[in-house]
Amino acid sequence: MSSQMFQLPAKGRRIAFIGKGGSTKTHTLAHVRGHWARMGYPTGAIDSDQPGEDEDGSLYTWDQMCGGLVKDHRPVKAQYSALHLPGTIAEETPAGGLLGIDTGAWSNTPGGTHHSALAMSDLAVLCLQPAEGELHRSASVWLALKYLEDTTGRSPELVVLFTRTHHTAKANNDARLALEKRDITVLESSVPNQQGEHGYSRAFGKALDLADDDPMHKVAVEILTKVAIQ
């Protein structure tokens, strides 16, 4: 499959995936990047999730284990320094394509890697489980975006992506209504809670299994609509 559905600017687009640890942001970025490549877009990815001692960041490690998660595209670049991250983002953004930035567990720390990633991004995707106890995290993200706007004069658009969802759960609709009442955009597509043998939680370290009927394909397409030239 290789058929670009939307036009992107010559300079490319940058998308930061943010959220708490365990919010499926790494798996989401890995899969949607694969779908973007299938649609014919040049892609790149940066892992800015600071690893523990004697560890590499998970997206970078996954890419290394597979010999490249997205074949014939740029390998994942690891960059854990907030000082050097903006330069790496500029270098790794493919012309006319998409750069995904994986981040660590969300932290609203001025001068940290999250602020560096957001300051360089066109779109921020907040991966959020639609549970009442998780919704307060969006408030901290809005504060970070306001800080960037006040200090730099720009900030990325923010959208919420529900992850680890149960399609029959009333909590999904309740969470959507609660966020939309605060004028926060929630994507129509979502990432289901897949725990089986072929679920997203078991995908780490393996080659990507991509298909048009994969829920991640819908996520990839909807994100494209947010960054494409209108």
Side-chain angles (χ1 to χ4, degrees):
M1 177 181 180
S2 180
S3 56
Q4 293 189 7
M5 304 173 64
F6 305 97
Q7 182 182 359
L8 296 174
K11 66 179 181 178
R13 293 294 198 196
R14 301 160 181 167
I15 304 164
F17 289 77
I18 59 178
K20 76 166 192 176
S23 61
T24 321
K25 59 184 181 297
T26 298
H27 286 74
T28 299
L29 172 52
H31 283 82
V32 298
R33 184 191 173 206
H35 285 291
W36 291 333
R38 291 177 70 239
M39 287 184 274
Y41 296 96
T43 70
I46 294 175
D47 186 349
S48 67
D49 186 357
Q50 179 66 53
E53 187 176 355
D54 297 325
E55 294 178 346
D56 291 313
S58 57
L59 186 67
Y60 174 79
T61 302
W62 191 353
D63 189 66
Q64 293 289 302
M65 292 170 69
C66 293
L69 274 167
V70 179
K71 305 301 181 185
D72 302 320
H73 286 245
R74 300 181 185 208
V76 174
K77 182 79 171 184
Q79 180 55 263
Y80 310 123
S81 165
L83 178 63
H84 297 296
L85 184 57
T88 303
I89 291 172
E91 292 170 1
E92 293 297 313
T93 304
L98 297 146
L99 177 73
I101 307 165
D102 192 22
T103 63
W106 170 253
S107 173
N108 183 13
T109 306
T113 54
H114 283 91
H115 279 231
S116 293
L118 291 172
M120 293 291 291
S121 296
D122 301 291
L123 181 71
V125 179
L126 173 58
C127 298
L128 189 69
Q129 189 173 359
E132 184 176 352
E134 302 295 326
L135 298 185
H136 72 280
R137 294 181 186 277
S138 61
S140 176
V141 174
W142 273 113
L143 288 174
L145 296 179
K146 185 178 186 306
Y147 174 84
L148 285 174
E149 183 70 36
D150 292 343
T151 56
T152 68
R154 71 171 301 276
S155 63
E157 178 185 359
L158 174 71
V159 296
V160 169
L161 170 65
F162 285 156
T163 62
R164 303 177 65 183
T165 63
H166 298 276
H167 291 299
T168 58
K170 180 176 179 293
N172 294 358
N173 289 331
D174 291 345
R176 179 180 295 275
L177 289 173
L179 290 170
E180 290 178 344
K181 284 181 179 179
R182 294 157 55 189
D183 294 324
I184 298 175
T185 299
V186 181
L187 298 182
E188 291 297 325
S189 50
S190 62
V191 180
N193 187 33
Q194 296 183 343
Q195 299 294 336
E197 181 180 352
H198 301 292
Y200 300 125
S201 62
R202 303 289 184 89
F204 182 80
K206 303 174 183 176
L208 297 174
D209 184 13
L210 304 173
D212 289 350
D213 59 355
D214 177 8
M216 288 289 194
H217 177 74
K218 294 181 180 179
V219 174
V221 171
E222 189 170 2
I223 291 175
L224 266 172
T225 67
K226 298 297 182 182
V227 296
I229 296 174
Q230 302 299 318

